[in-house]
């Protein structure tokens, strides 16, 4: 069981770090676009997915949940969303590490 908790903590840490890095990359792009246009410009999730060639068509999936979720998320900024998710995963990894450390100290 301890192996799986350690694995989950490590995967959460790696995923959080990658998402935070993606957020920084898109934030730099948003800053460059904002400076060039002389107006604030944030890249929404729908445009970022289109740039990456990932087409999310809720009509194809046939799921109402996917359609509602995509409609809600498609307007969010990629930089803010990826950064917030990255921080969330890093906090999760820290919590999993803390549980392991407390349990190890209790055994001594």
């Amino acid at each position: 069981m301890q192996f799986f908790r350690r694995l989950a903590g490590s995967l959460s840490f790696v995923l959080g770090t990658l998402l935070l890095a993606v957020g920084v990359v898109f934030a730099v792009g948003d800053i460059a676009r904002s400076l060039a246009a002389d107006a604030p410009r944030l890249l929404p999730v729908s445009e970022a997915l289109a740039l990456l060639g990932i087409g999310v068509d809720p009509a194809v999936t046939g799921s109402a949940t996917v359609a509602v979720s995509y409609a809600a998320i498609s307007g969010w900024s990629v930089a803010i969303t990826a950064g917030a998710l990255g921080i969330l995963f890093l906090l999760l990894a820290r919590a999993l590490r803390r549980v392991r450390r407390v349990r190890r100290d209790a055994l001594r």
Side-chain angles (χ1 to χ4, degrees):
M1 188 65 168
Q2 184 179 2
F3 169 76
F4 293 115
R5 185 169 294 168
R6 189 177 313 163
L7 180 65
S10 298
L11 290 176
S12 177
F13 180 77
V14 168
L15 187 61
T17 304
L18 288 175
L19 281 172
L20 202 55
V22 166
V24 168
V25 167
F26 278 105
V28 169
D30 287 344
I31 291 170
R33 271 190 299 284
S34 296
L35 288 174
D38 282 335
R41 172 84 171 99
L42 298 175
L43 185 70
V45 172
S46 59
E47 287 183 31
L49 290 175
L51 285 174
L52 295 173
I54 301 171
V56 179
D57 188 13
V60 173
T61 61
S63 172
T65 306
V66 171
V68 170
S69 300
Y70 183 72
I73 293 173
S74 64
W76 294 355
S77 167
V78 176
I80 296 171
T81 304
L85 285 174
I87 291 172
L88 181 73
F89 276 103
L90 287 174
L91 290 174
L92 177 67
R94 183 175 178 175
L96 288 172
R97 246 188 323 220
R98 187 180 313 140
V99 167
R100 187 176 64 221
R101 193 175 304 137
V102 169
R103 182 173 283 166
R104 188 181 307 148
D105 290 340
L107 293 176
R108 290 184 185 176

